[in-house]
Amino acid sequence: MALASPQGLRQRKLSESARTPDHVDPIHVVDDLDKKPRSDAARDEVVWGKTPTGEVFRVPTTHDVLTALFHPTYPKSHLDILNLSLLGLQLVLFYLLPRSASKIFFLCYFAFWRAAYDAGLGWVLTKQSKKKWIVREIQRLGWLDQKRKPAMRNWIRAQLAGKMGKDYSFDELPLEYNTWLLFRQLVDVILLNDFLAYCMFAFSCFRVPEGLSFTVHIMRWIGGIALIAFNLWVKTEAHGVVKDYGWYWGDVFFQRGNLVFDGVFELAPHPMYSVGYAGYYGLSLIVGSYPVLFASLVAHAAQFAFLVFFENPHIERMYGKRQPIAVRKPLASAGPRKQNAAPPTTSRGDCTDGLTTPPATEGETASETELETEVETEAPTLKSNKTLRTPTSHTSNDSLKQPTVQQQPVSEHDLHYKYFRRDVVGLLNIDLLRSSDAMLVLLIFYILVASCLPSMSHPTTLALHFAHASAWCIFHSFGLGLLLRAQSQSKFLVRHFLKNYAYPINDNGDGAVQEAFTNWKSLYNMSLCMTYISLVGLSWKTYELPASWTEGDDLLCHTLGALLIGLHVWAAMASYEVLGVFGWFYGDFFAEDFPAHLEYTGIFRYLDNPELMSGASFLGLALISGSKLVGFLAVLRFFAHWWFLHTVETPHMRKLYGNSLRKEAGFVKVIKNVASKNARLLESRAGRHAPEIRRVAKEVKGTFDKVFEETADVVEEFLARSRPKISEVMQETKVLLQQSRERLIITRVANDLSSYDTAKYKVSICPSKSGNTRFHLGEPIQVKWEAPQCHSWRDWIGIYRVGANKSTLITKISSFGLWLPVHNEEWDDDVPFDDTHVTSKGQQTRTIVFQGSTLPWTIGRYEVRYHHDGKHNVLGIDGPLEIYVNKPTSLDFTSIRDCLAEIIPLCLDNDLHLIPLSCGGTHDPSVDVDESDAPSDGGDPDDFSFWSERQAKRICTVIEQAFNVEYVPEVIVADANLTRLANRILVSKQLLIS
């Protein structure tokens, strides 16, 4: 029952310096209460409490539940009598019921009280922690109001006063404290009945296990009794630390000082919920019952759920300090890590572990997820002296002048993103376009498949190897081909790394290009190796050693196969000799700063595409193995590589070099020359038939050329016509998926609309700062509603895309959080809050504001809908309103930065403590932020920070719509600076121009 602290289990023991609330003079308070001064010793014994409204009171003495409930001299309240009756009823039923019925009954009875504890108390305590729900319900019902319900107040007063000491005064203590006393009596009923029901269930299942020696029985009883005794000791010690204040979650109602960690709370994390349940397992050992053991496990798990879903979130809200993300705090000077690492003038500060970004608490959430991390590293420059395979032209854009960034002191934030780049932790942060991640996934896949495969027959094994080899062949040609074509057309790989990883702002995009090329090289090499390894594996499984080499054609097939394999090896080596490492890995698809020139030397003097000979090894292995499967794979390899050449490589070469490409390779030219000479020789010998032969040859050639041209035209026309249709289908599919996702709700419709005059309900959109219904992305939207005074306080207003709802009477799609209640704040502390106005016609009217997470963060046209009583009945509609984003007027640093200066504050909710100083931000010492995290003097005025990753995601969304550049939140968090981000966008735009 004790509550957990942010670092461990909560402890309610107060330090000496914390016994008096802040800003309160204990002598003055005591004088006010008792009208006379007290001695120092007496003042030290006084414990002070403070309500959420700031009212300070002296906390009376409370008695433990066992003494107050079972001691005969203590008075018993009506709730105590109810509690004792329920406990006695359990004992009577245990005595009367047969054991078979007793097991079932007490199991269900225990489940009821355990659910009342973990689910029931967890629910009401969560609502009390967030919105003081229990206190407000007591106030709303008037139970403690002498004027509204005097009988109920007097009854509650009698119940509480009889159980307290002489220092208790019901009338002088605040509402929160009396409500807590009433609540703890309800808790006593639940806790004691939960405990006794478990014991009765365990006793009902008692048995003596058979087949165990006497020594084992003795050890079982000794172990069980020891665990129960340990359980009692933990509970007793914990209560001595946290007292009744912590035992009954008193800080949910009022404050009584700071927390101190000592005693049993240093024994184990969350001892009240971990080792404090050892008695469950001790009793399970004694009774020797598996049902009791499993019931104990389920009950213990439910208690941990109570800890996770109520205790820890409450403590984070109550005691956690809200810390911003991406604050640049200069590191304190430290000595060098290594004595001889560098001269004193170049020593580096100590870089310690634990550079993770601290979590932030926002609103009602317990904590925000720690952001993933990245590293800013500069990859080495590509250098190659090899002859180019497909050299690139110099297509780099004219560089624009960018302002130099002032060197800032090294901060922990920058070091964090220097040494970490979304590193893979287990299977978290997997990126299949990073070669190391792809190899990790591939290795895990092979191990899992190999461990799961059963013993198989030979045909099944052959089919598996064939599928494996075919998959790699298809992936190598088609998979990597499509990836390479996307890189050629839109710089897909470079765009991916720019989007997902942060690079130094002064590298002009070279880091993304180099990392994309580096990972592509690893992926290509891995795929190439796996293609041939899988082919060899299939060939080995299909190969059978000939019985006789002198009979049949086995020797011929082996000889031809070996020659074909040798031909492939020679062609590959000759190609690499000409291409070098740059051309071998298709470097001209990535690096644009290499000199552009064409050289047709070596094997390329004779062939344009010697890679087609790679199919020779497939055919050679097919001849050696004599397998039709390998032969089919050879044909598949040939056509796949032909597709790669004609779809990927040739279009890219034409784009780079245009008409400078040669039209015929040496081999083709020689064959044509030989064919022409033979044709002329044949024509000279044909005599009078020569013109006829020439005419037929021209007609046949013309027919083939015409068929080829017409086929090419048809294919091109088909692709040209299909492309917009395919794009339209994809867009419509995207919209349908979005709409189907929106419709995954249960529409709730009210049945009492007949008693409401729907004509009196109105909702209207207030003009934006520009004086119309056009709102910039992130700009707050004010909506004014008008309704009769009898309207439901559960009415709500949502924002939806225009056209998403076909019906104007019922909303059938989800708002995805883009909604607000018409009465957003019902209470201000303990005072009912109402800022509605009544018009001359008796109508209530009020203005609510959509901002932050309740705003749509996608440009488009929207409408607002007024709904009835928490249901989906529509009582009013207004719209449309347009959400837009300002885009830069030109592609230069100043325009981009000015655009960001408008976007960033809106994405950060215009929070002055987050937005850059250059945009009007400031640091207010009164805000609950660690002063050590505040921007230091001389910091960059363009720095900004976040309360949560949600705000970084907003910036990513807006940047994509304003600049057509994609980033992940980690990149935004790594920069967290207007100038850095503007430079990054500028470099990305220049780099991605094809």
Side-chain angles (χ1 to χ4, degrees):
M1 281 175 288
L3 304 183
S5 68
Q7 294 81 12
L9 190 64
R10 294 180 55 187
Q11 303 169 37
R12 298 296 191 271
K13 188 174 180 179
L14 302 179
S15 60
E16 295 299 328
S17 60
R19 294 193 179 273
T20 304
D22 297 338
H23 312 297
V24 177
D25 187 347
I27 299 179
H28 293 170
V29 175
V30 171
D31 289 343
D32 290 340
L33 293 175
D34 297 342
K35 303 302 181 182
K36 62 181 180 179
R38 289 176 176 264
S39 64
D40 293 340
R43 284 199 302 269
D44 289 341
E45 296 176 357
V46 175
V47 178
W48 300 96
K50 184 168 68 174
T51 67
T53 59
E55 179 183 354
V56 178
F57 65 96
R58 186 174 55 186
V59 179
T61 304
T62 56
H63 304 288
D64 66 273
V65 59
L66 297 180
T67 302
L69 190 63
F70 296 107
H71 199 286
T73 61
Y74 277 73
K76 303 295 184 289
S77 66
H78 293 167
L79 292 176
D80 288 340
I81 296 174
L82 173 64
N83 199 358
L84 291 172
S85 301
L86 291 173
L87 297 175
L89 179 63
Q90 290 195 53
L91 298 175
V92 172
L93 290 175
F94 177 78
Y95 177 77
L96 296 178
L97 291 175
R99 287 295 172 259
S100 58
S102 179
K103 292 179 183 179
I104 299 175
F105 171 78
F106 281 108
L107 176 61
C108 298
Y109 199 61
F110 171 60
F112 168 78
W113 287 111
R114 176 55 49 167
Y117 181 5
D118 293 323
L121 291 182
W123 182 72
V124 298
L125 284 171
T126 299
K127 297 191 69 174
Q128 170 66 17
S129 172
K130 291 181 177 180
K131 298 183 178 181
K132 308 302 178 188
W133 179 78
I134 299 177
V135 174
R136 291 175 177 177
E137 283 298 301
I138 294 292
Q139 191 173 30
R140 183 181 66 84
L141 297 173
W143 286 1
L144 299 181
D145 193 330
Q146 181 65 36
K147 297 180 179 179
R148 296 173 58 189
K149 294 186 178 180
M152 175 63 72
R153 181 180 186 276
N154 293 333
W155 179 82
I156 293 176
R157 178 179 182 179
Q159 304 303 306
L160 301 181
K163 295 178 63 65
M164 300 294 292
K166 296 181 179 179
D167 58 347
Y168 174 75
S169 175
F170 179 84
D171 297 323
E172 295 180 0
L173 288 168
L175 172 69
E176 289 83 358
Y177 186 80
N178 289 325
T179 302
W180 175 65
L181 292 181
L182 184 63
F183 170 77
R184 62 172 284 177
Q185 293 206 37
L186 173 65
V187 173
D188 288 339
V189 174
I190 295 176
L191 296 187
L192 291 177
N193 280 275
D194 171 78
F195 171 75
L196 186 59
Y198 173 79
C199 294
M200 295 299 100
F201 168 66
F203 297 153
S204 300
C205 297
F206 179 82
R207 70 184 184 93
V208 179
E210 299 178 356
L212 300 178
S213 63
F214 179 76
T215 303
V216 174
H217 283 295
I218 294 297
M219 294 178 61
R220 184 167 59 87
W221 276 78
I222 292 176
I225 293 174
L227 288 175
I228 294 174
F230 177 73
N231 191 145
L232 294 176
W233 175 79
V234 169
K235 297 287 188 181
T236 304
E237 289 295 315
H239 186 273
V241 173
V242 301
K243 307 300 183 184
D244 284 352
Y245 174 72
W247 193 273
Y248 294 99
W249 306 282
D251 61 351
V252 178
F253 297 85
F254 62 95
Q255 299 177 23
R256 207 195 66 171
N258 298 326
L259 304 178
V260 176
F261 301 89
D262 59 7
V264 72
F265 293 93
E266 298 176 341
L267 175 67
H270 311 296
M272 292 292 292
Y273 296 143
S274 55
V275 296
Y277 274 76
Y280 271 18
Y281 307 105
L283 192 56
S284 300
L285 273 176
I286 293 175
V287 300
S289 170
Y290 280 108
V292 176
L293 175 62
F294 293 137
S296 302
L297 290 171
V298 173
H300 200 177
Q303 196 63 29
F304 276 119
F306 179 84
L307 170 69
V308 170
F309 293 107
F310 161 66
E311 291 262 13
N312 288 341
H314 167 69
I315 293 305
E316 190 65 27
R317 281 189 297 270
M318 190 76 180
Y319 302 101
K321 178 169 287 188
R322 200 181 186 196
Q323 296 180 341
I325 301 171
V327 173
R328 285 184 168 86
K329 181 175 62 175
L331 295 176
S333 59
R337 297 185 59 160
K338 297 181 180 180
Q339 295 295 330
N340 299 324
T345 57
T346 60
S347 62
R348 296 180 300 171
D350 186 16
C351 178
T352 60
D353 295 331
L355 296 177
T356 54
T357 305
T361 303
E362 182 176 31
E364 297 180 355
T365 59
S367 61
E368 298 292 344
T369 306
E370 288 192 71
L371 300 184
E372 298 169 347
T373 58
E374 301 170 353
V375 174
E376 294 181 301
T377 58
E378 298 189 45
T381 304
L382 281 173
K383 294 183 179 179
S384 175
N385 297 323
K386 301 290 185 180
T387 307
L388 301 186
R389 169 184 183 235
T390 51
T392 63
S393 60
H394 191 72
T395 58
S396 59
N397 302 307
D398 295 333
S399 59
L400 299 179
K401 293 183 178 180
Q402 302 174 11
T404 58
V405 180
Q406 183 181 359
Q407 186 68 25
Q408 297 294 330
V410 178
S411 67
E412 183 177 337
H413 171 80
D414 295 324
L415 285 179
H416 180 73
Y417 283 93
K418 177 181 179 182
Y419 289 103
F420 301 95
R421 314 173 47 82
R422 296 182 66 190
D423 303 289
V424 177
V425 180
L427 294 180
L428 185 65
N429 301 332
I430 287 288
D431 183 354
L432 293 180
L433 293 182
R434 284 194 300 194
S435 57
S436 58
D437 296 9
M439 293 178 185
L440 174 63
V441 172
L442 187 64
L443 177 63
I444 295 174
F445 173 76
Y446 273 98
I447 293 176
L448 291 177
V449 170
S451 61
C452 296
L453 286 178
S455 299
M456 296 177 292
S457 62
H458 185 66
T460 306
T461 303
L462 289 182
L464 182 61
H465 277 271
F466 175 73
H468 180 229
S470 300
W472 276 111
C473 181
I474 293 173
F475 172 77
H476 186 70
S477 295
F478 292 101
L480 294 184
L482 292 173
L483 190 62
L484 204 58
R485 187 172 69 170
Q487 169 63 20
S488 174
Q489 295 175 349
S490 63
K491 294 183 173 60
F492 172 79
L493 283 171
V494 176
R495 190 185 299 269
H496 172 82
F497 283 92
L498 279 175
K499 170 185 175 182
N500 289 279
Y501 304 99
Y503 299 93
I505 60 175
N506 56 350
D507 75 341
N508 297 321
D510 292 339
V513 174
Q514 294 174 13
E515 190 166 9
F517 188 33
T518 299
N519 284 277
W520 158 259
K521 290 185 294 182
S522 297
L523 289 174
Y524 178 81
N525 188 67
M526 177 191 69
S527 176
L528 184 67
C529 293
M530 293 304 298
T531 299
Y532 289 107
I533 289 174
S534 60
L535 171 65
V536 172
L538 174 63
S539 303
W540 177 257
K541 285 296 180 179
T542 58
Y543 178 75
E544 293 182 2
L545 191 66
S548 175
W549 291 92
T550 58
E551 298 180 1
D553 56 0
D554 289 334
L555 183 58
L556 178 62
C557 289
H558 279 72
T559 303
L560 292 177
L563 290 175
L564 288 172
I565 294 174
L567 177 64
H568 176 208
V569 173
W570 169 79
M573 293 175 64
S575 298
Y576 184 80
E577 184 178 356
V578 175
L579 298 174
V581 66
F582 181 82
W584 183 264
F585 287 109
Y586 303 91
D588 51 3
F589 283 76
F590 296 87
E592 297 181 350
D593 50 357
F594 271 74
H597 62 276
L598 289 171
E599 294 183 4
Y600 295 104
T601 61
I603 194 174
F604 287 92
R605 179 182 177 184
Y606 317 106
L607 299 173
D608 280 337
N609 299 301
E611 295 92 343
L612 282 174
M613 289 188 183
S614 63
S617 61
F618 283 73
L619 185 58
L621 288 173
L623 289 173
I624 293 174
S625 63
S627 170
K628 295 180 180 178
L629 293 177
V630 183
F632 177 81
L633 199 60
V635 176
L636 175 63
R637 167 67 177 177
F638 175 80
F639 283 105
H641 197 71
W642 178 85
W643 174 89
F644 177 84
L645 291 175
H646 286 267
T647 308
V648 180
E649 186 169 339
T650 302
H652 181 74
M653 292 284 290
R654 289 175 180 170
K655 184 176 71 171
L656 291 182
Y657 303 105
N659 296 328
S660 62
L661 290 174
R662 69 180 182 184
K663 296 181 180 180
E664 295 177 348
F667 177 80
V668 176
K669 185 183 298 183
V670 170
I671 295 298
K672 282 188 175 182
N673 289 335
V674 172
S676 298
K677 290 180 181 180
N678 291 332
R680 287 194 296 270
L681 180 62
L682 179 62
E683 183 180 348
S684 64
R685 295 180 179 180
R688 61 187 180 86
H689 297 288
E692 184 67 19
I693 294 175
R694 191 183 306 113
R695 183 184 62 82
V696 172
K698 288 183 178 179
E699 288 180 355
V700 172
K701 182 177 181 297
T703 301
F704 278 107
D705 291 342
K706 184 178 181 181
V707 170
F708 179 79
E709 291 177 359
E710 289 180 352
T711 303
D713 291 340
V714 169
V715 172
E716 290 180 1
E717 183 180 0
F718 171 76
L719 293 176
R721 291 181 177 180
S722 300
R723 186 175 293 110
K725 292 183 179 180
I726 293 174
S727 301
E728 183 180 353
V729 169
M730 293 180 63
Q731 184 64 26
E732 290 179 354
T733 303
K734 183 179 179 181
V735 173
L736 288 175
L737 290 175
Q738 173 67 18
Q739 291 179 351
S740 63
R741 176 171 172 262
E742 290 173 344
R743 286 181 170 82
L744 293 177
I745 65 170
I746 300 176
T747 303
R748 297 177 297 176
V749 181
N751 299 320
D752 59 346
L753 282 182
S754 58
S755 58
Y756 293 88
D757 186 0
T758 58
K760 294 184 178 181
Y761 289 84
K762 296 180 181 179
V763 60
S764 58
I765 302 169
C766 299
S768 63
K769 61 181 180 181
S770 57
N772 49 33
T773 57
R774 296 184 74 246
F775 296 84
H776 190 280
L777 200 62
E779 181 182 349
I781 300 175
Q782 292 187 350
V783 176
K784 184 178 182 181
W785 59 266
E786 183 177 335
Q789 296 191 39
C790 63
H791 75 278
S792 171
W793 274 55
R794 298 181 62 208
D795 292 351
W796 59 283
I797 299 174
I799 298 182
Y800 301 87
R801 291 182 300 106
V802 171
N805 284 288
K806 295 182 180 180
S807 174
T808 59
L809 300 178
I810 298 175
T811 298
K812 295 185 177 181
I813 71 170
S814 173
S815 64
F816 291 103
L818 308 184
W819 68 277
L820 286 175
V822 296
H823 296 280
N824 194 25
E825 294 293 341
E826 298 184 24
W827 297 80
D828 183 7
D829 291 327
D830 294 324
V831 180
F833 179 80
D834 186 11
D835 64 346
T836 57
H837 303 281
V838 180
T839 65
S840 58
K841 297 181 180 180
Q843 296 277 96
Q844 281 191 351
T845 180
R846 186 187 180 196
T847 300
I848 61 175
V849 181
F850 288 87
Q851 56 188 350
S853 58
T854 59
L855 282 173
W857 288 90
T858 304
I859 59 177
R861 299 170 71 245
Y862 296 84
E863 64 184 8
V864 295
R865 292 181 162 224
Y866 186 107
H867 301 86
H868 169 66
D869 193 31
K871 308 284 193 307
H872 293 86
N873 301 88
V874 179
L875 300 180
I877 301 178
D878 190 29
L881 63 88
E882 181 184 357
I883 294 180
Y884 69 97
V885 61
N886 284 330
K887 299 183 178 182
T889 56
S890 59
L891 188 61
D892 59 77
F893 173 80
T894 302
S895 298
I896 294 176
R897 189 187 180 283
D898 291 344
C899 188
L900 286 176
E902 181 180 8
I903 289 174
I904 297 299
L906 291 173
C907 295
L908 298 177
D909 303 316
N910 283 308
D911 192 329
L912 297 180
H913 318 109
L914 300 179
I915 65 177
L917 296 176
S918 57
C919 296
T922 183
H923 175 67
D924 187 353
S926 64
V927 179
D928 187 16
V929 178
D930 191 349
E931 290 296 330
S932 61
D933 290 335
S936 59
D937 293 337
D940 193 334
D942 280 351
D943 285 343
F944 56 88
S945 56
F946 317 87
W947 286 127
S948 69
E949 187 183 14
R950 185 188 305 113
Q951 294 172 322
K953 289 181 179 179
R954 293 178 194 165
I955 297 177
C956 294
T957 301
V958 180
I959 287 178
E960 181 180 359
Q961 297 175 84
F963 305 101
N964 195 26
V965 176
E966 294 183 68
Y967 298 115
V968 295
E970 290 80 4
V971 175
I972 305 300
V973 174
D975 282 344
N977 181 279
L978 278 181
T979 300
R980 288 171 179 250
L981 194 54
N983 272 306
R984 184 177 301 280
I985 294 172
L986 180 60
V987 169
S988 299
K989 294 292 292 184
Q990 293 176 342
L991 192 63
L992 297 178
I993 294 177
S994 300

